[in-house]
Amino acid sequence: MLVMLENRLDALVRLHTPLPPGKIGGAHDGLAGPSNLRPESMYGPNAGLTEMLIPAGYVTTVYDPVFRLSPDGKRYLPAASDTPTTIPAPGLPFSLVFRAEPGREDVVLRIASAYEAASRRRIPPPAFGPLSGSQRDS
């Protein structure tokens, strides 16, 4: 909020997380918490800030963390892996976060909608189909 106010910005845009979602019940990235959530992911709505996530692309190869036995042999710890896992198309989505001042949903909706229409990265779910009407089909 301070950065937006000091610089008279309408909104901030940032990558939601550089990590793909963690496997349910699997090891998490050693730098992140459970489900590979970084602390900055908790600041938006949990802090009363207005934000929206929009797909920015898709990841088709991931390196899922694994569990390794600790040096003392008493517990399992998450560890990085160099074994790739290929995800079928379109892959796992990753998102950009569009954030504005509390109560400025109009700004976030306008900017995020314009980005989504221009990027054409939205892939409709198989049973849902493309958006139509006043919005451009993606």
Side-chain angles (χ1 to χ4, degrees), residues 40-130:
E40 65 268 14
S41 296
M42 306 299 181
Y43 297 154
N46 295 326
L49 300 175
T50 301
E51 72 177 27
M52 178 177 291
L53 277 68
I54 299 294
Y58 297 85
V59 175
T60 56
T61 302
V62 297
Y63 295 84
D64 293 309
V66 295
F67 287 113
R68 293 229 187 341
L69 192 59
S70 65
D72 63 9
K74 295 184 178 180
R75 61 183 186 254
Y76 284 95
L77 302 173
S81 171
D82 59 1
T83 304
T85 300
T86 301
I87 309 295
L92 292 172
F94 64 91
S95 301
L96 292 176
V97 175
F98 295 77
R99 185 176 290 164
E101 293 180 56
R104 295 308 316 261
E105 289 84 0
D106 61 318
V107 170
V108 174
L109 285 167
R110 188 175 67 249
I111 295 170
S113 177
Y115 168 81
E116 188 174 41
S119 71
R120 304 184 62 80
R121 289 198 169 104
R122 180 182 181 277
I123 296 176
F128 187 71

Side-chain angles (χ1 to χ4, degrees), residues 1 3 12 16 26 28 35 38 53 62 72-73 76 97 104 138:
M1 283 302 306
V3 170
L12 284 177
H16 180 243
H28 58 81
S35 300
R38 300 276 181 166
L53 277 68
V62 297
D72 63 9
Y76 284 95
V97 175
R104 295 308 316 261
S138 301

